[in-house]
Amino acid sequence: MRNAFLTVLFAALMQFSVQPANAANLIANISLSSQTMTVKQNGVVMYRWKVSTARRGYVTPRGSWRAKWLSRYHRSSKYDDAPMPYAVFFNGGYAIHATYDIKRLGRPASHGCVRLHPNNAAEFFALTREHGLKNTRIVIAR
């Protein structure tokens, strides 16, 4: 009887603590049309920032990815050693990272990465580190 009670209790408690395998508690939604990034933490909107995505002739990929790796002081091996501070990589060489060309935020200007104001990139980098790569999702849509 006691075993059956514990089994039922355990099953009841698990329904409140188990998340789907693809759940993330930190989500960055990037809108290519509005050139914004909305950051949700545990379902609550925490930030909405201007971004720059791919300019004409380049592509920012659309889709949904988990964060793959972090690089605080990254430099581009493809684009003349360009600085990519606070880089959160999500799809091959694509990352969300800081830019010092802040006057272009809010319109397409990059080679494909998602560029943020340095303060915002530092915040997103810290949040990704805090929540963990597997719990951080990047979603890019038109």
Side-chain angles (χ1 to χ4, degrees), residues 5-142:
F5 172 76
L6 291 176
T7 301
V8 170
L9 179 62
F10 179 77
L13 290 173
M14 287 304 293
Q15 73 180 343
F16 297 108
S17 63
V18 175
Q19 295 182 3
N22 64 350
N25 53 23
L26 182 66
I27 300 173
N29 286 305
I30 293 106
S31 167
L32 298 175
S33 59
S34 69
Q35 292 291 292
T36 58
M37 179 168 126
T38 303
V39 179
K40 289 184 181 179
Q41 195 172 358
N42 298 316
V44 177
V45 173
M46 301 300 290
Y47 302 102
R48 186 167 282 120
W49 297 316
K50 289 181 187 179
V51 299
S52 286
T53 60
R55 66 183 185 243
R56 186 172 305 216
Y58 296 92
V59 173
T60 298
R62 291 187 222 171
S64 179
W65 301 269
R66 277 211 170 103
K68 302 288 191 287
W69 58 287
L70 302 172
S71 181
R72 167 65 183 86
Y73 299 104
H74 197 78
R75 297 192 77 86
S76 173
S77 59
K78 189 173 183 179
Y79 296 107
D80 300 320
D81 210 32
M84 297 170 60
Y86 301 108
V88 178
F89 285 87
F90 59 89
N91 179 22
Y94 291 98
I96 297 171
H97 65 81
T99 183
Y100 300 115
D101 193 9
I102 59 175
K103 67 184 181 299
R104 289 182 161 181
L105 291 172
R107 63 182 192 255
S110 80
H111 287 109
C113 286
V114 178
R115 302 188 321 184
L116 287 167
H117 187 284
N119 295 343
N120 300 339
E123 180 66 24
F124 184 66
F125 185 91
L127 285 169
T128 300
R129 183 181 288 168
E130 176 187 330
H131 288 268
L133 297 172
K134 69 178 183 186
N135 295 316
T136 302
R137 181 151 301 277
I138 290 96
V139 180
I140 303 175
R142 189 88 200 103

